[in-house]
Amino acid sequence: MILALLLVLGTWWLWRMKTPGLGRYDLLLAWGIKIVASLVLLWIYTYYYGWNSLTADPNVFMKESAMLAAVAGESFPDYLRFLFGFETTEMVHHYLSETSHWSAGDLNVINDSRNVIRINSLLHFISGGYPILHFFTFSFLSLLGMRELYLAFYFRTSYSPRWFWLGLVLLPSVLFWTSSMLKEPLLIVGMCLLLHGFLGKLTTKARTWRIILGFLLMLLFKPYVLICLIPAVLFYLVTRHVFKGKIVWSLVGCFSFVAVLLLVLPGKRSQMTDYLTRKQYDFINIGRGGLHAYADTCFFYFTPDQFQYIEFRPDSTVYLKRPLMAKQVTMGRAAPFKDVYLYPNKKRWFNYYETQGCKSNIVVTPIESSFTQLLLNIPEAFVNAAFRPFFGDPGGFLKYPALVETLLLFTWFFLQFRFWRNVPHEQRLVFVSLLIFAVMLFVLIGWTTPVLGAIVRYRIPAYLALFLAGMLLHHPKRMHHE
């Protein structure tokens, strides 16, 4: 009943919306496509990856958001404290001691996993724990975000508004992941609002609330994407207002400014390098599999081939059967992690995280806290994040749709350059700004992520930016707008 009401309300809402260049049925068709995408994604996580039950991240977020929603039944004031981030460690131990995603590690200033759990916990009050309602709700919100992005760009391309709208909706990886109940739908909503706020034809009031809300959503859901978008927005603003539209001089000036900052702030440079080293190290361990054992003040990491020498007990504690060489990771710090020789422990260690590894794991060059190595890794990072998986790469059947999307997107994108001479100057500035964002995000993802399945999911904002940039290039003849 609730699901039917949601579908009716969503249809009614879209039917009432007036969108320049589109008819009402264009929005309803997109809503139907999003519903199908949500059902396909739900099927994949229930039957392809699971055995008649939801699995992986959607399953964890559903379970942990249900635990959080249950707090309201025991103490509504405590639930509100969790909802707005005022919970204490004691409250977490009391209510959420069995969760894993609620605590995403010791290096995150903003725990975006908690924010996903918070939003889904609110939906639990009306969903009754059925994941399909969560999928549809997030999918509908992402569709509204796509409409915001359409309004920011439809008058900037020579493609017809309807074809541009269908392209936005049907971009495969974006369609797939924004039809989930994970971080991506709300992240994309934030990105769409922010871009419309800066680039759309809006009143001051309409521009302001979109920029504020978009900024908050991107900050709360995958803030590293916002970190890549801010320099692109600043470049756009600086080029327009300081360099008077001179793109090349602006690029030289901005690049020189960043280079000087890195030279005169060696402490910040080292801090950034250590942070990325730790992120890469943690992801390498996840990709190849292993055990992170919590031992009061640190973690010990063991590789899967060492599991035979470790006793795993039902109470989630672990004990060494024989001396082993392991990695010690200091809590609360990006570095150092070091080799340690451990003897069988009498005091219990906790099984904090255990995995057999990922099928789509690839080898990446370790950064090892070297800024020089970080710079040398840029080409590898860019290629891995932008173009992989390749035909010979590891992974299951789902790597092939990603491979085809990459091939088609980049082929189409580069073909669009044949119209470069016809592109108005303002459009070139927006194009370069989008390209800066996409390249920065590709490199950041490639620096730290050795799992192709994760790369395909993380790079969707960059692919969306490339699609928009390609649309801006399509000018068979010079366009004039009022």
Side-chain angles (χ1 to χ4, degrees), residues 287-315:
R288 66 187 178 185
L291 165 70
H292 286 80
Y294 172 56
D296 291 336
T297 59
C298 66
F299 290 99
F300 295 122
Y301 168 73
F302 303 92
T303 56
D305 62 336
Q306 295 176 314
F307 284 4
Q308 59 184 313
Y309 308 118
I310 301 172
E311 180 184 355
F312 294 84
R313 296 190 178 179
D315 61 352

PDB file of all heavy atoms in Angstrom, residues 287-315:
ATOM      1  N   GLY A 287      41.209  -5.120  -1.127  1.00  0.00           N
ATOM      2  CA  GLY A 287      41.209  -5.757  -2.434  1.00  0.00           C
ATOM      3  C   GLY A 287      41.813  -7.149  -2.415  1.00  0.00           C
ATOM      4  O   GLY A 287      41.265  -8.079  -3.015  1.00  0.00           O
ATOM      5  N   ARG A 288      42.921  -7.315  -1.731  1.00  0.00           N
ATOM      6  CA  ARG A 288      43.566  -8.625  -1.713  1.00  0.00           C
ATOM      7  C   ARG A 288      43.053  -9.505  -0.587  1.00  0.00           C
ATOM      8  O   ARG A 288      43.360 -10.704  -0.533  1.00  0.00           O
ATOM      9  CB  ARG A 288      45.078  -8.461  -1.598  1.00  0.00           C
ATOM     10  CG  ARG A 288      45.571  -7.873  -0.292  1.00  0.00           C
ATOM     11  CD  ARG A 288      47.057  -7.602  -0.348  1.00  0.00           C
ATOM     12  NE  ARG A 288      47.559  -6.991   0.878  1.00  0.00           N
ATOM     13  CZ  ARG A 288      48.810  -6.564   1.031  1.00  0.00           C
ATOM     14  NH1 ARG A 288      49.673  -6.678   0.045  1.00  0.00           N
ATOM     15  NH2 ARG A 288      49.202  -6.010   2.166  1.00  0.00           N
ATOM     16  N   GLY A 289      42.256  -8.926   0.315  1.00  0.00           N
ATOM     17  CA  GLY A 289      41.680  -9.695   1.406  1.00  0.00           C
ATOM     18  C   GLY A 289      42.593  -9.710   2.622  1.00  0.00           C
ATOM     19  O   GLY A 289      43.767  -9.345   2.566  1.00  0.00           O
ATOM     20  N   GLY A 290      42.045 -10.136   3.747  1.00  0.00           N
ATOM     21  CA  GLY A 290      42.840 -10.217   4.963  1.00  0.00           C
ATOM     22  C   GLY A 290      42.008  -9.932   6.197  1.00  0.00           C
ATOM     23  O   GLY A 290      40.790  -9.769   6.146  1.00  0.00           O
ATOM     24  N   LEU A 291      42.699  -9.866   7.315  1.00  0.00           N
ATOM     25  CA  LEU A 291      42.066  -9.641   8.616  1.00  0.00           C
ATOM     26  C   LEU A 291      42.652  -8.409   9.266  1.00  0.00           C
ATOM     27  O   LEU A 291      43.883  -8.254   9.315  1.00  0.00           O
ATOM     28  CB  LEU A 291      42.293 -10.844   9.534  1.00  0.00           C
ATOM     29  CG  LEU A 291      42.016 -10.645  11.028  1.00  0.00           C
ATOM     30  CD1 LEU A 291      40.520 -10.495  11.277  1.00  0.00           C
ATOM     31  CD2 LEU A 291      42.600 -11.778  11.859  1.00  0.00           C
ATOM     32  N   HIS A 292      41.785  -7.523   9.753  1.00  0.00           N
ATOM     33  CA  HIS A 292      42.204  -6.417  10.607  1.00  0.00           C
ATOM     34  C   HIS A 292      41.783  -6.754  12.029  1.00  0.00           C
ATOM     35  O   HIS A 292      40.584  -6.812  12.333  1.00  0.00           O
ATOM     36  CB  HIS A 292      41.555  -5.105  10.160  1.00  0.00           C
ATOM     37  CG  HIS A 292      42.149  -4.531   8.909  1.00  0.00           C
ATOM     38  ND1 HIS A 292      41.817  -4.996   7.662  1.00  0.00           N
ATOM     39  CD2 HIS A 292      43.060  -3.532   8.718  1.00  0.00           C
ATOM     40  CE1 HIS A 292      42.494  -4.312   6.744  1.00  0.00           C
ATOM     41  NE2 HIS A 292      43.246  -3.419   7.353  1.00  0.00           N
ATOM     42  N   ALA A 293      42.761  -7.031  12.863  1.00  0.00           N
ATOM     43  CA  ALA A 293      42.491  -7.388  14.262  1.00  0.00           C
ATOM     44  C   ALA A 293      42.730  -6.167  15.142  1.00  0.00           C
ATOM     45  O   ALA A 293      43.801  -5.547  15.084  1.00  0.00           O
ATOM     46  CB  ALA A 293      43.390  -8.537  14.699  1.00  0.00           C
ATOM     47  N   TYR A 294      41.735  -5.840  15.942  1.00  0.00           N
ATOM     48  CA  TYR A 294      41.808  -4.664  16.815  1.00  0.00           C
ATOM     49  C   TYR A 294      42.426  -5.066  18.144  1.00  0.00           C
ATOM     50  O   TYR A 294      41.938  -5.966  18.825  1.00  0.00           O
ATOM     51  CB  TYR A 294      40.410  -4.087  17.013  1.00  0.00           C
ATOM     52  CG  TYR A 294      40.323  -2.987  18.032  1.00  0.00           C
ATOM     53  CD1 TYR A 294      41.115  -1.847  17.927  1.00  0.00           C
ATOM     54  CD2 TYR A 294      39.438  -3.076  19.109  1.00  0.00           C
ATOM     55  CE1 TYR A 294      41.021  -0.832  18.857  1.00  0.00           C
ATOM     56  CE2 TYR A 294      39.339  -2.063  20.047  1.00  0.00           C
ATOM     57  CZ  TYR A 294      40.133  -0.945  19.920  1.00  0.00           C
ATOM     58  OH  TYR A 294      40.052   0.052  20.847  1.00  0.00           O
ATOM     59  N   ALA A 295      43.501  -4.371  18.529  1.00  0.00           N
ATOM     60  CA  ALA A 295      44.233  -4.704  19.755  1.00  0.00           C
ATOM     61  C   ALA A 295      44.406  -3.459  20.622  1.00  0.00           C
ATOM     62  O   ALA A 295      45.526  -2.982  20.837  1.00  0.00           O
ATOM     63  CB  ALA A 295      45.587  -5.311  19.422  1.00  0.00           C
ATOM     64  N   ASP A 296      43.298  -2.904  21.104  1.00  0.00           N
ATOM     65  CA  ASP A 296      43.271  -1.768  22.037  1.00  0.00           C
ATOM     66  C   ASP A 296      43.738  -0.451  21.420  1.00  0.00           C
ATOM     67  O   ASP A 296      42.968   0.491  21.289  1.00  0.00           O
ATOM     68  CB  ASP A 296      44.079  -2.063  23.306  1.00  0.00           C
ATOM     69  CG  ASP A 296      43.410  -3.122  24.168  1.00  0.00           C
ATOM     70  OD1 ASP A 296      42.183  -3.279  24.037  1.00  0.00           O
ATOM     71  OD2 ASP A 296      44.108  -3.784  24.941  1.00  0.00           O
ATOM     72  N   THR A 297      45.012  -0.362  21.062  1.00  0.00           N
ATOM     73  CA  THR A 297      45.556   0.918  20.593  1.00  0.00           C
ATOM     74  C   THR A 297      45.942   0.903  19.121  1.00  0.00           C
ATOM     75  O   THR A 297      46.401   1.914  18.600  1.00  0.00           O
ATOM     76  CB  THR A 297      46.799   1.301  21.415  1.00  0.00           C
ATOM     77  OG1 THR A 297      47.785   0.273  21.282  1.00  0.00           O
ATOM     78  CG2 THR A 297      46.436   1.478  22.889  1.00  0.00           C
ATOM     79  N   CYS A 298      45.787  -0.250  18.460  1.00  0.00           N
ATOM     80  CA  CYS A 298      46.204  -0.340  17.060  1.00  0.00           C
ATOM     81  C   CYS A 298      45.465  -1.489  16.378  1.00  0.00           C
ATOM     82  O   CYS A 298      44.737  -2.253  17.021  1.00  0.00           O
ATOM     83  CB  CYS A 298      47.717  -0.541  16.953  1.00  0.00           C
ATOM     84  SG  CYS A 298      48.272  -2.126  17.622  1.00  0.00           S
ATOM     85  N   PHE A 299      45.701  -1.614  15.080  1.00  0.00           N
ATOM     86  CA  PHE A 299      45.205  -2.748  14.311  1.00  0.00           C
ATOM     87  C   PHE A 299      46.398  -3.557  13.819  1.00  0.00           C
ATOM     88  O   PHE A 299      47.446  -3.006  13.473  1.00  0.00           O
ATOM     89  CB  PHE A 299      44.394  -2.281  13.093  1.00  0.00           C
ATOM     90  CG  PHE A 299      43.072  -1.665  13.427  1.00  0.00           C
ATOM     91  CD1 PHE A 299      42.922  -0.295  13.462  1.00  0.00           C
ATOM     92  CD2 PHE A 299      41.973  -2.466  13.702  1.00  0.00           C
ATOM     93  CE1 PHE A 299      41.704   0.280  13.760  1.00  0.00           C
ATOM     94  CE2 PHE A 299      40.745  -1.900  14.000  1.00  0.00           C
ATOM     95  CZ  PHE A 299      40.608  -0.528  14.040  1.00  0.00           C
ATOM     96  N   PHE A 300      46.219  -4.860  13.761  1.00  0.00           N
ATOM     97  CA  PHE A 300      47.178  -5.734  13.115  1.00  0.00           C
ATOM     98  C   PHE A 300      46.521  -6.317  11.865  1.00  0.00           C
ATOM     99  O   PHE A 300      45.397  -6.810  11.920  1.00  0.00           O
ATOM    100  CB  PHE A 300      47.625  -6.871  14.044  1.00  0.00           C
ATOM    101  CG  PHE A 300      48.378  -6.401  15.252  1.00  0.00           C
ATOM    102  CD1 PHE A 300      47.924  -6.704  16.529  1.00  0.00           C
ATOM    103  CD2 PHE A 300      49.541  -5.644  15.125  1.00  0.00           C
ATOM    104  CE1 PHE A 300      48.609  -6.275  17.646  1.00  0.00           C
ATOM    105  CE2 PHE A 300      50.239  -5.207  16.239  1.00  0.00           C
ATOM    106  CZ  PHE A 300      49.768  -5.518  17.505  1.00  0.00           C
ATOM    107  N   TYR A 301      47.238  -6.236  10.747  1.00  0.00           N
ATOM    108  CA  TYR A 301      46.703  -6.747   9.492  1.00  0.00           C
ATOM    109  C   TYR A 301      47.410  -8.034   9.115  1.00  0.00           C
ATOM    110  O   TYR A 301      48.649  -8.107   9.092  1.00  0.00           O
ATOM    111  CB  TYR A 301      46.867  -5.717   8.372  1.00  0.00           C
ATOM    112  CG  TYR A 301      46.594  -6.289   7.006  1.00  0.00           C
ATOM    113  CD1 TYR A 301      45.286  -6.577   6.602  1.00  0.00           C
ATOM    114  CD2 TYR A 301      47.645  -6.579   6.121  1.00  0.00           C
ATOM    115  CE1 TYR A 301      45.030  -7.122   5.356  1.00  0.00           C
ATOM    116  CE2 TYR A 301      47.393  -7.119   4.876  1.00  0.00           C
ATOM    117  CZ  TYR A 301      46.084  -7.399   4.501  1.00  0.00           C
ATOM    118  OH  TYR A 301      45.847  -7.949   3.279  1.00  0.00           O
ATOM    119  N   PHE A 302      46.606  -9.074   8.786  1.00  0.00           N
ATOM    120  CA  PHE A 302      47.104 -10.374   8.370  1.00  0.00           C
ATOM    121  C   PHE A 302      46.543 -10.712   6.996  1.00  0.00           C
ATOM    122  O   PHE A 302      45.373 -10.449   6.714  1.00  0.00           O
ATOM    123  CB  PHE A 302      46.687 -11.469   9.367  1.00  0.00           C
ATOM    124  CG  PHE A 302      47.134 -11.219  10.775  1.00  0.00           C
ATOM    125  CD1 PHE A 302      46.300 -10.550  11.658  1.00  0.00           C
ATOM    126  CD2 PHE A 302      48.377 -11.647  11.224  1.00  0.00           C
ATOM    127  CE1 PHE A 302      46.689 -10.310  12.964  1.00  0.00           C
ATOM    128  CE2 PHE A 302      48.777 -11.415  12.531  1.00  0.00           C
ATOM    129  CZ  PHE A 302      47.936 -10.739  13.414  1.00  0.00           C
ATOM    130  N   THR A 303      47.366 -11.284   6.132  1.00  0.00           N
ATOM    131  CA  THR A 303      46.946 -11.656   4.782  1.00  0.00           C
ATOM    132  C   THR A 303      46.163 -12.972   4.819  1.00  0.00           C
ATOM    133  O   THR A 303      46.283 -13.744   5.783  1.00  0.00           O
ATOM    134  CB  THR A 303      48.166 -11.806   3.861  1.00  0.00           C
ATOM    135  OG1 THR A 303      49.061 -12.770   4.435  1.00  0.00           O
ATOM    136  CG2 THR A 303      48.886 -10.475   3.695  1.00  0.00           C
ATOM    137  N   PRO A 304      45.346 -13.257   3.774  1.00  0.00           N
ATOM    138  CA  PRO A 304      44.533 -14.483   3.788  1.00  0.00           C
ATOM    139  C   PRO A 304      45.349 -15.763   3.939  1.00  0.00           C
ATOM    140  O   PRO A 304      44.856 -16.732   4.540  1.00  0.00           O
ATOM    141  CB  PRO A 304      43.815 -14.435   2.436  1.00  0.00           C
ATOM    142  CG  PRO A 304      43.729 -12.990   2.102  1.00  0.00           C
ATOM    143  CD  PRO A 304      45.000 -12.396   2.619  1.00  0.00           C
ATOM    144  N   ASP A 305      46.568 -15.804   3.404  1.00  0.00           N
ATOM    145  CA  ASP A 305      47.355 -17.033   3.527  1.00  0.00           C
ATOM    146  C   ASP A 305      47.841 -17.277   4.957  1.00  0.00           C
ATOM    147  O   ASP A 305      48.365 -18.358   5.259  1.00  0.00           O
ATOM    148  CB  ASP A 305      48.544 -17.003   2.557  1.00  0.00           C
ATOM    149  CG  ASP A 305      49.504 -15.857   2.837  1.00  0.00           C
ATOM    150  OD1 ASP A 305      49.068 -14.856   3.426  1.00  0.00           O
ATOM    151  OD2 ASP A 305      50.683 -15.960   2.451  1.00  0.00           O
ATOM    152  N   GLN A 306      47.657 -16.284   5.841  1.00  0.00           N
ATOM    153  CA  GLN A 306      48.028 -16.457   7.238  1.00  0.00           C
ATOM    154  C   GLN A 306      46.853 -16.918   8.105  1.00  0.00           C
ATOM    155  O   GLN A 306      47.038 -17.191   9.287  1.00  0.00           O
ATOM    156  CB  GLN A 306      48.584 -15.140   7.808  1.00  0.00           C
ATOM    157  CG  GLN A 306      49.894 -14.687   7.175  1.00  0.00           C
ATOM    158  CD  GLN A 306      50.357 -13.330   7.696  1.00  0.00           C
ATOM    159  OE1 GLN A 306      49.565 -12.391   7.788  1.00  0.00           O
ATOM    160  NE2 GLN A 306      51.633 -13.241   8.034  1.00  0.00           N
ATOM    161  N   PHE A 307      45.649 -17.007   7.507  1.00  0.00           N
ATOM    162  CA  PHE A 307      44.467 -17.378   8.284  1.00  0.00           C
ATOM    163  C   PHE A 307      44.610 -18.753   8.933  1.00  0.00           C
ATOM    164  O   PHE A 307      44.036 -19.009   9.995  1.00  0.00           O
ATOM    165  CB  PHE A 307      43.222 -17.370   7.389  1.00  0.00           C
ATOM    166  CG  PHE A 307      42.700 -15.997   7.060  1.00  0.00           C
ATOM    167  CD1 PHE A 307      43.374 -14.851   7.474  1.00  0.00           C
ATOM    168  CD2 PHE A 307      41.527 -15.839   6.326  1.00  0.00           C
ATOM    169  CE1 PHE A 307      42.908 -13.585   7.156  1.00  0.00           C
ATOM    170  CE2 PHE A 307      41.039 -14.582   6.016  1.00  0.00           C
ATOM    171  CZ  PHE A 307      41.737 -13.456   6.430  1.00  0.00           C
ATOM    172  N   GLN A 308      45.374 -19.646   8.295  1.00  0.00           N
ATOM    173  CA  GLN A 308      45.535 -20.994   8.845  1.00  0.00           C
ATOM    174  C   GLN A 308      46.266 -20.996  10.181  1.00  0.00           C
ATOM    175  O   GLN A 308      46.180 -21.971  10.942  1.00  0.00           O
ATOM    176  CB  GLN A 308      46.293 -21.856   7.836  1.00  0.00           C
ATOM    177  CG  GLN A 308      47.680 -21.313   7.479  1.00  0.00           C
ATOM    178  CD  GLN A 308      48.368 -22.118   6.407  1.00  0.00           C
ATOM    179  OE1 GLN A 308      48.395 -23.351   6.460  1.00  0.00           O
ATOM    180  NE2 GLN A 308      48.930 -21.415   5.411  1.00  0.00           N
ATOM    181  N   TYR A 309      46.950 -19.903  10.486  1.00  0.00           N
ATOM    182  CA  TYR A 309      47.685 -19.811  11.751  1.00  0.00           C
ATOM    183  C   TYR A 309      46.953 -18.955  12.782  1.00  0.00           C
ATOM    184  O   TYR A 309      47.523 -18.578  13.800  1.00  0.00           O
ATOM    185  CB  TYR A 309      49.078 -19.230  11.503  1.00  0.00           C
ATOM    186  CG  TYR A 309      49.837 -19.946  10.414  1.00  0.00           C
ATOM    187  CD1 TYR A 309      50.228 -19.287   9.246  1.00  0.00           C
ATOM    188  CD2 TYR A 309      50.161 -21.306  10.542  1.00  0.00           C
ATOM    189  CE1 TYR A 309      50.917 -19.951   8.245  1.00  0.00           C
ATOM    190  CE2 TYR A 309      50.855 -21.971   9.538  1.00  0.00           C
ATOM    191  CZ  TYR A 309      51.222 -21.285   8.395  1.00  0.00           C
ATOM    192  OH  TYR A 309      51.903 -21.957   7.400  1.00  0.00           O
ATOM    193  N   ILE A 310      45.705 -18.621  12.474  1.00  0.00           N
ATOM    194  CA  ILE A 310      44.912 -17.769  13.367  1.00  0.00           C
ATOM    195  C   ILE A 310      43.662 -18.529  13.798  1.00  0.00           C
ATOM    196  O   ILE A 310      42.991 -19.180  12.973  1.00  0.00           O
ATOM    197  CB  ILE A 310      44.506 -16.459  12.658  1.00  0.00           C
ATOM    198  CG1 ILE A 310      45.743 -15.684  12.209  1.00  0.00           C
ATOM    199  CG2 ILE A 310      43.643 -15.590  13.570  1.00  0.00           C
ATOM    200  CD1 ILE A 310      45.436 -14.472  11.343  1.00  0.00           C
ATOM    201  N   GLU A 311      43.338 -18.452  15.083  1.00  0.00           N
ATOM    202  CA  GLU A 311      42.117 -19.068  15.600  1.00  0.00           C
ATOM    203  C   GLU A 311      40.996 -18.027  15.624  1.00  0.00           C
ATOM    204  O   GLU A 311      41.089 -17.023  16.326  1.00  0.00           O
ATOM    205  CB  GLU A 311      42.344 -19.615  17.006  1.00  0.00           C
ATOM    206  CG  GLU A 311      41.113 -20.266  17.609  1.00  0.00           C
ATOM    207  CD  GLU A 311      41.322 -20.717  19.043  1.00  0.00           C
ATOM    208  OE1 GLU A 311      42.462 -20.612  19.538  1.00  0.00           O
ATOM    209  OE2 GLU A 311      40.347 -21.166  19.672  1.00  0.00           O
ATOM    210  N   PHE A 312      39.947 -18.274  14.848  1.00  0.00           N
ATOM    211  CA  PHE A 312      38.785 -17.387  14.808  1.00  0.00           C
ATOM    212  C   PHE A 312      37.709 -17.971  15.724  1.00  0.00           C
ATOM    213  O   PHE A 312      37.214 -19.074  15.485  1.00  0.00           O
ATOM    214  CB  PHE A 312      38.241 -17.275  13.379  1.00  0.00           C
ATOM    215  CG  PHE A 312      39.170 -16.599  12.414  1.00  0.00           C
ATOM    216  CD1 PHE A 312      40.180 -17.311  11.773  1.00  0.00           C
ATOM    217  CD2 PHE A 312      39.039 -15.247  12.142  1.00  0.00           C
ATOM    218  CE1 PHE A 312      41.040 -16.698  10.876  1.00  0.00           C
ATOM    219  CE2 PHE A 312      39.891 -14.616  11.239  1.00  0.00           C
ATOM    220  CZ  PHE A 312      40.895 -15.338  10.614  1.00  0.00           C
ATOM    221  N   ARG A 313      37.345 -17.237  16.748  1.00  0.00           N
ATOM    222  CA  ARG A 313      36.362 -17.734  17.715  1.00  0.00           C
ATOM    223  C   ARG A 313      34.977 -17.145  17.444  1.00  0.00           C
ATOM    224  O   ARG A 313      34.859 -16.058  16.853  1.00  0.00           O
ATOM    225  CB  ARG A 313      36.805 -17.415  19.137  1.00  0.00           C
ATOM    226  CG  ARG A 313      38.109 -18.136  19.525  1.00  0.00           C
ATOM    227  CD  ARG A 313      38.417 -18.009  20.989  1.00  0.00           C
ATOM    228  NE  ARG A 313      39.634 -18.733  21.341  1.00  0.00           N
ATOM    229  CZ  ARG A 313      40.157 -18.777  22.571  1.00  0.00           C
ATOM    230  NH1 ARG A 313      39.551 -18.118  23.556  1.00  0.00           N
ATOM    231  NH2 ARG A 313      41.262 -19.460  22.803  1.00  0.00           N
ATOM    232  N   PRO A 314      33.919 -17.842  17.883  1.00  0.00           N
ATOM    233  CA  PRO A 314      32.542 -17.377  17.631  1.00  0.00           C
ATOM    234  C   PRO A 314      32.212 -16.013  18.220  1.00  0.00           C
ATOM    235  O   PRO A 314      31.291 -15.346  17.741  1.00  0.00           O
ATOM    236  CB  PRO A 314      31.676 -18.472  18.278  1.00  0.00           C
ATOM    237  CG  PRO A 314      32.555 -19.684  18.324  1.00  0.00           C
ATOM    238  CD  PRO A 314      33.943 -19.161  18.526  1.00  0.00           C
ATOM    239  N   ASP A 315      32.936 -15.595  19.254  1.00  0.00           N
ATOM    240  CA  ASP A 315      32.648 -14.296  19.884  1.00  0.00           C
ATOM    241  C   ASP A 315      33.386 -13.149  19.205  1.00  0.00           C
ATOM    242  O   ASP A 315      33.574 -12.078  19.797  1.00  0.00           O
ATOM    243  CB  ASP A 315      33.002 -14.337  21.369  1.00  0.00           C
ATOM    244  CG  ASP A 315      34.482 -14.631  21.624  1.00  0.00           C
ATOM    245  OD1 ASP A 315      35.196 -14.953  20.652  1.00  0.00           O
ATOM    246  OD2 ASP A 315      34.914 -14.536  22.782  1.00  0.00           O
TER     247      ASP A 315
END
